[in-house]
Amino acid sequence: MARTLNKLNNATVKAAGAGKYSDGGGLWIYKNANGGAKWVLRYSLYGRRHEMGLGGYPEVSLKEARESAEEWRLVVRKGKDAIKERERQRREAERNMHILNDVAIDAFESRKAELKDEGKAGNWFSPLELHVLPKLGKMPITQIDQRDIRDTLAPIWHTKASTAQKAIDRLGVCIKHAAALGLNVDMQATQKAKALLGKQRHTVKHIPAMAWQDVPQFYQSLNGGGVGELALQLLILTAARSANVRNLHEYHIDGDVWTIPADAMKGRMGATTDFRVPLSEEALRVIEEARKISRDGFLFPGVRRGVLSDMTLSAYMKRRGIEARPHGFRSSFRDWCAETTNTPREVAETALGHVSGSSVERSYRRTDYLEQRRTLMERWAKHLLKPRADVAQIA
């Protein structure tokens, strides 16, 4: 490199015609006939000559070009190729500029197959979308630390504890996803944030359930034959979830077995096997009644179209002044199993569609206890049909 530096001045650079002009130390300005110009740093490394562009003129001034040239001369003096080093730094900067919003969307897309209906309901993404991304979405994920997370979730940490927990868990998934992309993130950021936020002050509110002793009287009061009452009867008889009952289609029933598709089973995302529900004689009777009012193959149609609304059953019980809710009958059934029968835990939990035992246990246990559950559900139906004289009165 030439030792003489700063040969040019602003007036010379501006007035110069087409050609190549040296400022010394390997810094040149190339001007062409149409008025365009660019700065170039010439250097030699390991016997090879290189030309490195430093930007166009006048966007990059003479002073800025000299500062840039000196920065890259220092790199060359350390035995590094300035062009390759700049490219490496650019790649590093690009990796570090992935913003949380983009990573979150990518993480969500990669997990869609695991989610019910590919996450169309938005339950997985909404805690992030509502409570995290508005504040942190535009930040590079590599710069997000526990203090950022704490400040973002503190307003809802105690007042909306369940939502806040989901939000911080989803954010943890995003951070792990970023790490898999090769980004330099703090894998412990969410755990550190939880330590800063402290233990959540909230009381878990369980869905109100009817005592199992009171369920027979309520069940026997459902004799109007309307679509809502029939749906409630089948829900109680099978201890199934409301969504599964409301979406029951005739092709789901084969003899005395109702098969719920795997992707409709809550808590079984990614399952490849369907869930079989044994139908008692009373359940089959209710289904026959429902067939008389079915529409498009759905046993419990809505008033105008589709299937029965998810609020219809709750509203019916509320109108009758009953505090318990439809989902609570699953708890009633489980309590009845525990208090009046010797049903093994695995059978009772399977009757509710719950995944029971460790992953290792489940890998060896291939049965769904269908025959044992068939007997259990017949006993439950007989409990529901007990003579009124033997049925406890609902207050």
Side-chain angles (χ1 to χ4, degrees), residues 166-373:
K166 290 178 182 178
I168 202 168
D169 288 345
R170 305 290 197 274
L171 182 55
V173 171
C174 294
I175 291 174
K176 289 180 181 178
H177 189 79
L181 291 173
L183 303 180
N184 185 23
V185 292
D186 182 357
M187 295 285 286
Q188 301 300 316
T190 55
Q191 293 303 316
K192 294 174 185 175
K194 287 181 180 180
L196 293 176
L197 287 162
K199 186 176 181 180
Q200 291 178 314
R201 298 188 303 271
H202 73 288
T203 301
V204 177
K205 294 183 178 179
H206 297 289
I207 296 174
M210 189 178 293
W212 62 265
Q213 298 92 334
D214 297 335
V215 180
Q217 183 189 2
F218 177 73
Y219 178 83
Q220 293 174 40
S221 73
L222 300 170
N223 54 15
V227 62
E229 292 186 337
L230 287 170
L232 269 174
Q233 283 185 311
L234 190 63
L235 180 147
I236 296 170
L237 283 161
T238 58
R241 293 182 173 86
S242 171
N244 296 141
V245 171
R246 290 183 295 101
N247 288 280
L248 176 58
H249 197 283
E250 287 206 55
Y251 71 77
H252 292 151
I253 300 171
D254 183 10
D256 62 356
V257 175
W258 165 25
T259 300
I260 303 175
D263 60 4
M265 290 299 293
K266 181 180 180 181
R268 290 181 168 222
M269 297 304 100
T272 57
T273 57
D274 300 332
F275 180 66
R276 299 187 296 174
V277 179
L279 298 169
S280 63
E281 289 185 12
E282 175 66 4
L284 290 171
R285 182 195 67 78
V286 171
I287 288 171
E288 284 304 312
E289 289 297 315
R291 282 192 169 109
K292 298 175 183 178
I293 57 175
S294 65
R295 184 174 67 235
D296 299 328
F298 289 103
L299 270 65
F300 305 110
V303 177
R304 295 182 178 82
R305 61 180 181 177
V307 299
L308 203 63
S309 164
D310 61 346
M311 294 301 296
T312 301
L313 305 185
S314 294
Y316 174 84
M317 297 181 70
K318 191 173 182 179
R319 284 197 304 272
R320 291 187 53 176
I322 299 172
E323 182 183 0
R325 291 295 173 261
H327 192 78
F329 288 116
R330 289 166 55 81
S331 179
S332 306
F333 167 78
R334 188 64 179 86
D335 289 344
W336 171 82
C337 286
E339 295 186 27
T340 69
T341 76
N342 294 319
T343 305
R345 179 182 181 278
E346 293 79 6
V347 177
E349 288 297 305
T350 302
L352 292 171
H354 288 165
V355 175
S356 178
S358 68
S359 58
V360 174
E361 289 179 278
R362 295 196 301 273
S363 69
Y364 284 97
R365 185 178 66 231
R366 305 301 172 87
T367 181
D368 64 357
Y369 305 106
L370 181 65
E371 294 308 317
Q372 293 184 61
R373 289 190 289 124

Side-chain angles (χ1 to χ4, degrees), residues 1-7 22-28 40-43 69-70 73:
M1 295 182 186
R3 295 183 179 276
T4 303
L5 300 175
N6 304 336
K7 297 179 181 179
S22 172
D23 187 52
L27 177 61
W28 292 71
V40 174
L41 176 65
R42 294 179 180 177
Y43 64 92
E70 182 54 34
R73 288 189 199 108

Side-chain angles (χ1 to χ4, degrees), residues 73-119:
R73 288 189 199 108
L74 178 60
V75 169
V76 173
R77 285 198 292 271
K78 293 179 179 179
K80 296 180 181 180
D81 188 328
I83 295 175
K84 290 182 178 180
E85 177 63 14
R86 182 171 65 179
E87 183 59 30
R88 186 195 66 78
Q89 292 180 12
R90 181 180 293 135
R91 288 196 302 269
E92 182 71 18
E94 288 175 353
R95 281 199 300 270
N96 290 337
M97 282 307 294
H98 279 75
I99 63 173
L100 174 60
N101 188 72
D102 293 341
V103 174
I105 292 174
D106 194 49
F108 174 56
E109 290 292 330
S110 71
R111 281 156 181 77
K112 273 188 174 181
E114 305 170 17
L115 306 174
K116 183 177 179 180
D117 200 22
E118 293 193 339

